[in-house]
Amino acid sequence: MDVILVTGGAGFIGSHACKALARAGYQPVVFDNLERGHAEAVKWGPLEHADLRNDEDLKRIFEKWRPSAVMHFAAYAYVGESNLDPLKYYENNIGGMTKLLRACIRFGCEKLVFSSSCATYGTPDTLPLTEKTPQQPVNPYGYTKLVAERMLNEVERAHGIRHVSLRYFNASGADPDGELGEAHDPETHLIPLALFAAMGRVPSIKIFGNDYATPDGTCIRDFVHVSDLADAHVAALDWLGRGNASHSFNLGNGRGFSVAEVIRTSERITGLPIKVENASRRPGDPPKLVSDSTKARTLLKWKPRFPDLPDQVEHAWNWYKNSVYPVR
Ligand code: UFG
């Protein structure tokens, strides 16, 4: 079986990718420092508790497992935190990836699937966003993802490592079988917080800005189910495995939902009222982000199984009601 090293495989999207890899006949090996991930989410292969910024950890694990490819999720991913402490983001997201790529070169691992973000586009002038939309990030987190994409291009030219960068829109939902879900600390994302408000874990949800130039004044996002993101990673790996060239792909459903719509959907799915407070705009929030994912659908043959917001909210709700690993 092909061994795939999954950095950040104990995190939200990485853990779902491990499940999809195992289902597709690969052997995932998780490389995670558990700073933000959960050992309980590692269910489809071994966990190597290690840090990307540590050359010895990388050497030991590459020698032991000789992975045929890497899926690279491990990174900090809070936009707000990146504004407050940008160097923390460059040190981990870029510093860690530099060492990872050195290990790939040294051990002859020549395929990499990279967890990128629509945050690399910043606030676009036109919608929907295609892969040709100019990448102009508006926060340090987005810059680290863009720099990482550039690093991959340059490392390919110099050392021949082929890669796919997957630019996710808003990851949502949870494993439909209830085996995995989202557990961030602090939780800052819209759907989890709306559900926390429904179940009384927090008293209310704040709407960050209701004066945007959108139909109901609240921001619009394109939500994509985490299991569909996981499937796209396997499709990207297969793409590289067939000898295809490096590419970047947007991953979204091409439909925008406003913050107010998401909260209403959450009330409907849970059958519970959600207390809402209007708050000021959150710095760095683009008013509207909607993807064009035609390229992934065409080249990777990616077909999301759960494109509808109510399914995404329902899977997340099922997870929070029955959550099996501690929320961190
Ligand atoms: N929002 C609220 N109240 C909350 C939380 C969020 O109104 O309590 C709003 C935000 O202002 C935003 C929308 O809900 O308009 C979505 O916010 P999230 O924090 O859920 O998601 P983001 O769109 O900010 O961030 C996501 C990913 C990031 C990625 C970014 C790219 O979580 O990693 O998309 O734009 F960088």
Side-chain angles (χ1 to χ4, degrees), residues 77-79 117-120 122 139 141-142 145 168-171 182 187-194 204-209 212 218-221 223 259 263 280-282 284-287 289:
Y78 290 119
V79 171
S117 171
C118 68
T120 59
N139 53 60
Y141 165 70
K145 292 287 174 181
Y168 325 143
F169 283 67
N170 286 59
E182 193 164 5
E187 188 49 81
T188 61
H189 296 106
L190 176 62
I191 294 175
L193 288 176
S204 63
I205 180 152
K206 291 190 172 78
I207 292 187
F208 296 137
Y212 285 98
T218 67
C219 285
I220 289 177
R221 292 289 181 274
F223 294 89
V259 171
I263 295 171
S280 46
R281 291 182 179 197
R282 195 173 65 173
D285 271 341
L289 292 173

Side-chain angles (χ1 to χ4, degrees), residues 19 21 51 86 106 118 145 148 183 207 214 235 251 254 256 302 328:
K19 180 171 179 175
L21 280 169
D51 198 299
R106 179 171 172 194
C118 68
K145 292 287 174 181
I207 292 187
T214 59
L251 298 178
W302 180 58
R328 293 180 48 208

